[in-house]
Amino acid sequence: MHKQWSFSVFKWASPFIRFYVRLKSTKARPTAPLGSRILTNPDDVFKHNMWDHVQWTEADQEAARQRAEENSSVRLPLTEQGKFDTDACQYWDQFYEVHQDKFFKDRRWLFLEFPELLPSSGEKRKTNACYSHQEAAPDPNQTVTQTSFFPGQHASFRILEVGCGVGNSVFPIVNTIKNTDSFLYCCDFSPRAIRLVKDHPDYDDSVCHAFVHDICVEAASFPFPPQSLDVILAVFVLSSIHPQRMERVINRLSTYLKHGGVVLFRDYGRYDFSQLRFKNGRCLSDNFYTRGDGTCVYFFTKEEVHDLFSKAGLEEIQNLEDKRLQVNRGKKVVMHRVWMQSKYRKPPPPSPP
């Protein structure tokens, strides 16, 4: 079906107009946001593997909606759905047993899209100046646990990656923050994944602490106190969680951010090609599916992302839909890809009355 989809022919001036509009509407963008390869001539579509900022026509949108409606019309019985939630760790552990660290590629794009992972010294000073006096005052809505010692306590800048898998974000970050005053925590609920992270030749416990943790278990403790993190990174992880659990997960994670700290989020968007290729019988609930290996995936809209993070008391810095055209030049196939990219900040605590 994707071969029949049309895609817009850009006029030469339109990329610059759209870029300006998106910059204004999202308040903050990387220097070269989300790539700069713009398809201006449809005859050139098979010259590259990926085209950026692809605009969908109304026909594209309607065809995608109909396909999603079709592949979700037959759902797994409720009696069979529970195992995909309760046994999620087991399915992902089996996934890593089969694929080891060969399935995903290292995310070299992280620092372009999320420069907040490595703020400049000037930005650090500005953040500290803006929020240091607020961090000293306790949040009236939150109890801060006193911790005598925790890994990374010495660091002035702390990052947590949730759902780190086998380290495809971990090691690009670790290799960049060495010899700095930064520290990275990374967790996954798959023991096998964490074992692979720790066995990696670049793992360095002087700048990184990897640990097994299920972010859906509210009673599970983190190895650091509340209000101690500058950045939380969530890349293609929230989509694997049951939609009914997402709000509680984000609420809990937000308590570990410092005031001024940010959540960096990237995940699957509604009507991504991977959603449309599901067959009947794999849908669990609206826009939530299980793959053949038992792992699950949800497909977000901008409005849903904003609602989730805003309810956790976070303020929007960026919330955008990244639409691209992925090309298989050998098979002459085009695929519409949709990803969400968002940044949300924890604001200052309320002023005392």
Side-chain angles (χ1 to χ4, degrees), residues 152 154-155 177-180 182-184 203-209:
H154 66 279
I177 66 174
K178 287 181 178 179
N179 302 317
T180 73
S182 302
F183 194 87
L184 173 66
Y203 183 74
D204 184 346
D205 58 12
S206 69
V207 293
C208 180
H209 178 65

Side-chain angles (χ1 to χ4, degrees), residues 1 38 144 150 196 212 237 259 261 265 276 281 288 343 351:
M1 180 190 70
I38 307 298
V144 179
F150 60 94
L196 288 167
V212 177
V237 60
H259 294 291
F265 170 83
L276 304 185
F288 188 51
K343 305 175 184 181
S351 301

Side-chain angles (χ1 to χ4, degrees), residues 133-290:
H133 67 286
Q134 294 157 351
E135 290 173 1
D139 186 336
N141 300 316
Q142 178 173 291
T143 301
V144 179
T145 302
Q146 296 298 322
T147 305
S148 58
F149 173 79
F150 60 94
Q153 186 177 40
H154 66 279
S156 63
F157 190 78
R158 303 186 191 98
I159 305 164
L160 166 67
E161 186 190 7
V162 292
C164 66
V166 296
N168 299 100
S169 297
V170 169
F171 296 109
I173 296 173
V174 163
N175 290 328
T176 305
I177 66 174
K178 287 181 178 179
N179 302 317
T180 73
D181 198 27
S182 302
F183 194 87
L184 173 66
Y185 307 94
C186 57
C187 66
D188 199 284
F189 66 176
S190 165
R192 194 177 303 274
I194 293 301
R195 192 177 312 121
L196 288 167
V197 169
K198 290 186 172 182
D199 289 343
H200 193 284
D202 290 343
Y203 183 74
D204 184 346
D205 58 12
S206 69
V207 293
C208 180
H209 178 65
F211 58 101
V212 177
H213 185 92
D214 186 345
I215 58 175
C216 292
V217 177
E218 296 185 20
S221 61
F222 284 102
F224 42 78
Q227 299 187 52
S228 60
L229 301 175
D230 295 273
V231 176
I232 295 176
L233 179 65
V235 178
F236 296 102
V237 60
L238 293 183
S239 56
S240 66
I241 296 173
H242 194 287
Q244 293 180 355
R245 294 180 178 268
M246 290 180 189
E247 185 175 333
R248 292 194 299 272
V249 166
I250 296 170
N251 287 345
R252 181 165 180 256
L253 288 173
S254 69
T255 67
Y256 288 90
L257 277 177
K258 299 176 183 177
H259 294 291
V262 294
V263 177
L264 306 177
F265 170 83
R266 188 165 175 83
D267 222 314
Y268 293 102
R270 188 69 47 83
Y271 304 147
D272 178 65
F273 170 74
S274 61
Q275 177 180 11
L276 304 185
R277 68 180 180 181
F278 274 106
K279 299 185 183 303
N280 266 330
R282 305 309 304 177
C283 186
L284 301 174
S285 60
D286 290 348
N287 306 295
F288 188 51
Y289 302 79
T290 180

